[in-house]
Amino acid sequence: MTTKRILLIFGLIGFFVSTALAQKNKPIDKDATRETQKLYKSLRKLSKKHTLFAHQHATEYGHSWAGDEDRSDVKSVTGSHPAMVGVDFSGFSGRSPEQIEQAKERLRKNVVDTYNRGGVTTIAWHFSNPVSGGGFYWRDTVSLPAVSYIIPGGQAHEQYKEILKGIADWAHSIKGANGELVPVIFRPYHEFDGGWFWWGASHCTREEFIALWQFTVGYLRDELDVHNFIYAFSPDNQFLTEEKYLARYPGDEWVDMVGMDNYGDMGRNRYAIDTAALKLKIVSDYARKSGKLAAFTETGLESIPNETWWTETLLKTMRMHKMRLAYVLVWRNDIRSPTHYYAPYPGQVSVPDFMKFYEDPYTLFENDLKNIYKKKKR
């Protein structure tokens, strides 16, 4: 074989390898909108040195207030909204048609307002059991194992398709100031490795869960033309190896972002930040080698009684190893409960430490984001 031919072969191998690597680092939707691709790319780039701070229901309500325009407890403390706002599709099914439409409209406004300010939205789905009572939690005396009912071949599969059509219609309606579709991170069926939700590991087989995930993504993307979703996979923290983490993983072609929810190691049950950091590293390492984004998809300490939790627990956990985490989300601040909150409000004991967390170059808030969608100026 001539030297010229050998060089040609190696050149072709290099081309195909680089092409394969490039395909890894893109959304799984080849028809993803321009803004969705830009958001994915921006999150990937920012995660090399930073992590976006996210707060669930941040702008919908907070500690003792609800519905105020352009308000969040985080903004009241720091002067900036969180970089990412968590919302939920919980109101999109299991209610009257009128209530569903109201929920869709409220959520549409919230998501569009966040986008127009330059922030990001992540959407969870506390999905009320579509075939029995019990809500989204598993109730032994009430709940039915709905996963087997709603996957292809199940007796409630057509009903599930209608629910997904409602989500798709909403996804097509969220448009920014220039008429472009707003990209969001969609995080369905979270904490599936536990048994507290009806989609949990105690209530469906591995094969059933994977079928549910693959059908959900495929139907939204390929049949209903939803091209502004980034799909996030997030079990709870019940793993210590990559193999266990991936036990119900649906495959790289079905996931854009890998994450983990972890309250237990972060002060709820124990302080085990070495263990939490190890678990996050497993997530981040898998993301890097498979060309995915990674995130700390839920955490927090209820009531934040630990005055230095932000810097001595959360920040130390995320920075213990060399990891790339697109965002970290803490849970909601309840309207009425005096103790159910996960982000500080003015006067709360952890405010001084939260300000250190806010000012650290590693963390990004909404005011720090610089046109991550590469939107055209009007």
Side-chain angles (χ1 to χ4, degrees):
M1 188 179 291
T2 65
T3 302
K4 185 176 181 180
R5 179 165 291 186
I6 291 172
L7 290 173
L8 177 61
I9 290 171
F10 275 102
L12 288 171
I13 291 172
F15 170 77
F16 287 120
V17 169
S18 64
T19 301
L21 288 173
Q23 290 297 323
K24 280 185 175 182
N25 299 318
K26 294 180 179 180
I28 57 171
D29 184 355
K30 62 181 178 57
D31 296 317
T33 65
R34 176 183 180 275
E35 287 72 24
T36 304
Q37 293 181 50
K38 292 293 185 181
L39 174 59
Y40 186 99
K41 185 176 181 180
S42 292
L43 291 175
R44 183 174 182 78
K45 181 179 179 180
L46 289 171
S47 68
K48 293 178 181 179
K49 294 183 179 179
H50 309 282
T51 295
L52 278 66
F53 177 72
H55 185 205
Q56 187 71 15
H57 298 303
T59 53
E60 295 172 71
Y61 55 79
H63 191 70
S64 76
W65 65 272
D68 294 358
E69 193 72 20
D70 195 32
R71 181 177 179 179
S72 68
D73 285 339
V74 170
K75 184 178 180 181
S76 296
V77 169
T78 67
S80 173
H81 288 305
M84 187 179 295
V85 174
V87 296
D88 206 298
F89 281 149
S90 59
F92 282 28
S93 62
R95 304 182 182 188
S96 70
E98 295 76 20
Q99 290 173 320
I100 290 172
E101 284 308 308
Q102 290 171 2
K104 287 181 178 180
E105 184 53 42
R106 285 194 301 269
L107 196 61
R108 181 185 299 114
K109 183 180 186 308
N110 185 294
V111 170
V112 170
D113 286 349
T114 297
Y115 173 78
N116 286 337
R117 291 193 312 266
V120 185
T121 295
T122 177
I123 306 178
W125 194 10
H126 286 85
F127 182 11
S128 289
N129 195 314
V131 297
S132 73
F136 52 83
Y137 283 121
W138 180 264
R139 311 287 186 190
D140 283 338
T141 58
V142 177
S143 302
L144 292 175
V147 174
S148 63
Y149 288 74
I150 64 177
I151 58 177
Q155 61 195 70
H157 183 58
E158 292 302 315
Q159 177 186 343
Y160 183 52
K161 287 167 70 173
E162 287 301 313
I163 292 170
L164 291 180
K165 286 176 184 176
I167 289 176
D169 289 344
W170 179 86
H172 295 146
S173 75
I174 51 173
K175 296 182 179 180
N178 296 313
E180 72 278 24
L181 288 172
V182 174
V184 298
I185 297 166
F186 180 35
R187 190 172 65 95
Y189 303 118
H190 68 299
E191 298 176 10
F192 55 81
D193 47 339
W196 44 92
F197 297 133
W198 57 259
W199 56 84
S202 306
H203 316 301
C204 63
T205 67
R206 173 183 180 273
E207 292 72 23
E208 287 171 340
F209 180 80
I210 289 174
L212 174 63
W213 184 282
Q214 292 180 352
F215 175 78
T216 302
V217 173
Y219 193 62
L220 288 170
R221 180 189 64 191
D222 305 329
E223 300 296 328
L224 300 177
D225 294 322
V226 174
H227 300 302
N228 51 329
F229 279 8
I230 290 171
Y231 295 92
F233 170 88
S234 65
D236 199 47
N237 63 8
Q238 301 179 45
F239 63 93
L240 284 172
T241 65
E242 181 184 286
E243 181 181 14
K244 185 68 180 295
Y245 178 75
L246 297 175
R248 294 193 168 211
Y249 189 61
D252 286 344
E253 65 270 38
W254 302 99
V255 172
D256 289 305
M257 175 183 285
V258 290
M260 171 187 73
D261 294 5
N262 191 348
Y263 297 90
D265 295 328
M266 303 294 287
R268 173 184 286 180
N269 302 328
R270 62 197 162 271
Y271 280 95
I273 65 173
D274 288 354
T275 303
L278 170 64
K279 294 171 183 179
L280 272 181
K281 187 176 186 299
I282 290 169
V283 174
S284 176
D285 286 352
Y286 184 77
R288 291 185 69 173
K289 74 180 182 181
S290 60
K292 304 299 175 186
L293 301 172
F296 199 170
T297 43
E298 273 188 46
T299 189
L301 180 63
E302 188 176 28
S303 301
I304 331 168
N306 181 340
E307 296 182 17
T308 60
W309 186 85
W310 300 100
T311 59
E312 294 299 312
T313 299
L314 182 57
L315 201 57
K316 279 189 175 179
T317 298
M318 293 191 296
R319 304 198 73 175
M320 190 170 295
H321 304 292
K322 192 173 182 180
M323 297 184 284
R324 296 181 181 179
L325 302 171
Y327 72 89
V328 56
L329 180 143
V330 298
W331 201 239
R332 68 184 187 133
N333 287 9
D334 192 27
I335 304 167
R336 299 178 184 87
S337 170
T339 59
H340 188 71
Y341 58 85
Y342 290 81
Y345 53 87
Q348 201 272 333
V349 295
S350 75
V351 164
D353 191 58
F354 188 72
M355 289 304 299
K356 293 179 182 178
F357 178 83
Y358 168 74
E359 291 163 358
D360 193 292
Y362 178 74
T363 61
L364 298 179
F365 287 66
E366 190 176 277
N367 287 354
D368 300 316
L369 302 181
K370 307 299 181 187
N371 198 18
I372 59 174
Y373 303 100
K374 304 296 189 295
K375 293 186 286 186
K376 296 178 181 178
K377 293 182 179 180
R378 299 179 69 186

